[in-house]
Amino acid sequence: MKKILLLCLTAFLTMNMQAQNEKYVNFMKKNIAALDSAKSPEDLQVSANNFERIANTEKDAWLPNYYAAYAYIMKAYYVKEMKDIDPLCDKADVLLANAESLSQNNSEIATLKAMCLTARMRADGSRGMTMGPKATMILQQALQQQPTGNPRALMQMAQMKFYTPAAFGGGKDAGIELLKKSIAAYDSFKPASELDPTWGKPYAVELLAQWTAQ
Amino acid sequence: MQTVILTLISIFSTLGLLAQQTTLTGTITDLKKRPIAGVSVSIADSYDGASTDSIGRFAFSTTDTGKHTLLVSMLGYKSWEQPVELRGGSQSFSIQLKESPNELTAVVITAGAFEAGDTKKATVLKPLDIVTTASANADVAAAMKTLPGTQQIGESAELFVRGGEGYETRQFIDGTTVANPFFGQAPNIASRGRFSPFLFKGTVFSTGGYSALYGQALSSALILESIDLPERSEASASFSPLFVGAQYQHLAKDSLHSWGASAGYTNVGLYFKAVKQQPDYFKAPEVLNGDANFRIKTSRTGMLKFYGSYAKNILGLRNPDIDMPVLKNAFELNNSNIYTNISYKERIANRLKLQTGFSYSQNKDNIHQQVQDADNKPVQHTLPDWVAAKNFRLATNNKLMQLRAVVDYKLSGLSAVKAGAEYWYSKDENQYQQFPVAALQDHFTAAFAEADVYISNGLAARAGVRAEHSSLLQKTNVAPRASLAYKLANAAQLSADYGVFYQKPQSQYLMWHPRQNQLRADHYIVTYQKIGFNKVFRAQVFHKEYKQLTKTFPDTSSTGTGYARGAELFWRDKSTFKNFDYWVTYSYLDTKRAYLNYPYEMQPTFAATHTANLVVKRFFTKMKTQLNINYQFAAGRPYYQFKYNNGAQQWDVLDQGKTIAYNNLSFSANYLANMGKAFGVVVLSVTNVLNSRQVFGYNYSYDGTNKVAVVPPANRFIFLGLFLSWGTDRTQDAINNNL
């Protein structure tokens, strides 16, 4: 009798957990799709709020923190007032620190950290002195953490090269070459799970068309 | 058995059926009833929630029941939460969010100071600006001379601020005072700062009204914060006809600690052979220096840093004797200096930070002055007393040890309370000729507390107090400080600062009368500041009262008085002219003081009424070159000839006048290039390009018949150097810096 009761309870709990997991996966999928189609800072804020809610509930999952940070960083690229950039990046950095505590040596998290620094440089060009090399270093780590090539880290690297004059080891050609590498990496990229990051390919393709046309 | 299962099933399904929906709706506004969009509204620990739309409305439903917490949060606002009882139906909310003070939008209490840093909003200069200011040649203090409030004093490396003497500006590294921030210098010839600008990540230059955390600086504080862990390991070397240097910095693989060391040798002899100097240098300035550091990240929030340096410098020069121009006056200096600094900071509890520091320094000067004949030999025959007095040897040995601890407790928002204490032990030993003078020892203690209170984002106040006791002076002083900052329209603010500042008299005066009062200055400052994107405008007016200044002969009481008042303007613009970055400053100063042997309040010899600066920088990406131009102007400074009147027992002013105005146009170019595996910077700089005559004052002979202008050793200084580094590509920095 007791055994059966226990069995029932276990079955119930498992079912419940599965249901919870299904709820998580569905919720994430829905919000990742919404984030991919976000077109304004307002859309991005809604996405960030949604992911933060999941992050606050699912305390062991790095992905909600990651996506919330991504939404904040994208918003930092969108905003027109330079003074708005730092608070958004500060918030993103907190979320990324959370994500990192749940998943160490994660190439995707490192890539976002570099993106966040690049956004901060937009607020104040002279920060390049300290933040530029730091962003490059983090991206190099990101590439080491994923030897098969993280297409998002490569795209970031490509953009940094593209906007560095040729005289300083960057240049248009160097940028385009890296961007092509990034697109190739997108083609062969297999995410670890259905919720893992896959974003960026359409933008990379669009960027390549723009750069080659210039 | 079956019944049990059935019961269980029915319980589960009932639970599901019972789950009813509660709908939550509402609007969210700020305190002025303006709707806020994008606010997150949620049930704590649940997926259920929503974001407000463009008119601040939200609506969502939840199947949760019972007691929960409704959470409302938005970047830039204080979070709001309230318990809710979910029992189906709908509930409506009307919520007002309070803006949370944040560093970016809040008023700045320390608006009067000039900051160089990467992150803070109040930053006026960037760390790189110190290195690329044409007239400064990478000297921290010299770069500060392009800011308002400072005098163009060519005969000293010290900073003379707002009618204050060079002695009245103190430098602080990680909280503790630096006793001898400059290399030993010959009379009326400026030397350089001991510390490389690359050692610091943050520089705050306050020209008055600064925090109670700092003391013993009557006019101004230059507050330097050393860098934490370096970004990566790096080796570097520098070459110039004037010096060679090498440096290595190692960052551990785990990025938790680093160490480094450097050594350098400077010899100006070769340069002096090529470029004629006014004095006859029989020992060209020579410096041998080395330093070492380590930094340990003791925890996520803890950092331990050590920096230590040793330097030895010598120089010897001859000038015609002012009293007997057939003779010469030879001056020789031998200086050695040790400086060490250990600091430790840690967050010891939530909201509570501890900062401690220890520093020790020792400075030894050996000065030998001699009257010589035409063949540079000591004069054998009897000389008049006032000439013979110039034959002497003086040895000084100054030690200073400091301990300091500060706790910082964060209240809500940006408000914070700080409190701390300091203990200084100093010992000054002097030997004149063969006679040792009694050593001067002081146990100096200070305690201070300060509160920053942000009443709102737009109004903040600071109140502080500092108490000091000196065992040598046998005096205790209490110095109150206060500031108020009020935000006007966007990016503009008005602030007012008040403070009482004390400083011990210089040891050469304490030597004879140790029981003096501390020098005192009361500051009143009003600042208007507007910081836009890449633009900074600042206007300041100030008034300063000096009391208890040192007097020398015949009145040796510390009853000197004085005042300084003026207005200053600063404008920096990086965006109006493409690729150009420039700043302009103007300072007006009205100051008089009765101190030392001044018979009454008079404009001191180090104070010019008008001072102006123009700094222009431009980076040429294709040429990989940054060009910097800097023009400095100062109106003429007063000079006096005093003669003691035995009958009236006072000093008479026999002659006085003003020097010609000071003009200095400097130029520098930095060329960046990859050289093999190294990254290189070639620096060429020329001061006083136009070869303008510069006169800093006049000296008079004992009998008053000979008047000699104080001029720089050479009108122009040319520097050419190559700096190489392996490990970091600084080209990228420069590019990003100028994009």
Side-chain angles (χ1 to χ4, degrees), chain A residues 59-72:
Chain A
K59 298 218 160 43
D60 301 326
W62 67 276
L63 280 162
N65 283 296
Y66 169 90
Y67 282 110
Y70 175 58
Y72 276 116

Side-chain angles (χ1 to χ4, degrees), chain A:
Chain A
M1 180 62 214
K2 265 190 184 166
K3 269 187 186 167
I4 292 170
L5 256 179
L6 261 175
L7 215 73
C8 275
L9 211 64
T10 329
F12 170 62
L13 285 176
T14 321
M15 261 164 61
N16 210 10
M17 268 165 67
Q18 265 170 3
Q20 182 65 19
N21 190 45
E22 210 168 290
K23 189 179 165 197
Y24 168 68
V25 171
N26 288 337
F27 209 90
M28 286 292 283
K29 274 188 184 163
K30 194 177 110 196
N31 281 299
I32 292 167
L35 178 57
D36 280 341
S37 58
K39 290 203 170 51
S40 65
E42 292 77 25
D43 290 353
L44 288 162
Q45 183 62 55
V46 172
S47 268
N49 289 346
N50 290 344
F51 282 114
E52 259 194 281
R53 275 207 312 277
I54 311 175
N56 289 336
T57 316
E58 307 293 336
K59 298 218 160 43
D60 301 326
W62 67 276
L63 280 162
N65 283 296
Y66 169 90
Y67 282 110
Y70 175 58
Y72 276 116
I73 294 167
M74 289 306 289
K75 191 179 173 186
Y77 277 101
Y78 268 102
V79 290
K80 290 194 180 68
E81 287 281 337
M82 295 298 143
K83 67 176 172 53
D84 293 338
I85 292 176
D86 273 339
L88 290 165
C89 288
D90 289 347
K91 178 76 189 177
D93 276 339
V94 171
L95 291 159
L96 286 173
N98 284 346
E100 207 168 31
S101 67
L102 299 167
S103 171
Q104 271 113 37
N105 298 322
N106 187 316
S107 173
E108 299 291 354
I109 295 174
T111 307
L112 278 199
K113 276 161 89 179
M115 252 179 100
C116 195
L117 279 172
T118 319
R120 284 183 195 271
M121 282 189 253
R122 194 180 146 235
D124 181 350
S126 69
R127 288 174 172 177
M129 179 186 172
T130 48
M131 293 185 184
K134 202 168 173 183
T136 310
M137 206 166 72
I138 296 172
L139 281 177
Q140 277 163 356
Q141 277 170 11
L143 290 172
Q144 278 166 14
Q145 284 161 351
Q146 193 161 317
T148 51
N150 179 340
R152 279 160 293 281
L154 283 165
M155 178 163 67
Q156 271 282 303
M157 205 69 142
Q159 290 180 64
M160 288 191 76
K161 281 271 183 215
F162 187 84
Y163 292 107
T164 303
F168 296 102
K172 201 180 149 180
D173 295 341
I176 289 174
E177 194 188 325
L178 263 173
L179 192 59
K180 282 181 177 160
K181 267 191 191 167
S182 157
I183 291 170
Y186 270 117
D187 289 334
S188 59
F189 182 76
K190 288 194 182 55
S193 83
E194 56 180 343
L195 299 181
D196 269 49
T198 55
W199 58 268
K201 188 176 174 187
Y203 184 64
V205 173
E206 191 192 313
L207 211 55
L208 185 65
Q210 261 181 38
W211 287 359
T212 40
Q214 267 180 29

Side-chain angles (χ1 to χ4, degrees), chain B residues 611-623:
Chain B
T611 310
N613 266 287
L614 171 68
V615 179
V616 184
K617 304 181 184 206
R618 174 161 184 188
F619 189 79
F620 296 88
T621 313
K622 279 202 179 128
M623 287 159 60

Side-chain angles (χ1 to χ4, degrees), chain B residues 64-106:
Chain B
D64 286 342
T65 52
K67 286 198 170 118
H68 287 270
T69 306
L70 184 66
L71 284 180
V72 178
S73 66
M74 176 71 191
L75 217 56
Y77 294 89
K78 280 189 179 160
S79 295
W80 180 96
E81 56 177 80
Q82 184 181 297
V84 284
E85 172 103 41
L86 300 174
R87 42 171 200 273
S90 68
Q91 296 184 27
S92 177
F93 298 85
S94 175
I95 299 160
Q96 286 192 347
L97 289 186
K98 232 177 148 176
E99 226 181 304
S100 68
N102 83 58
E103 276 184 45
L104 287 146
T105 56

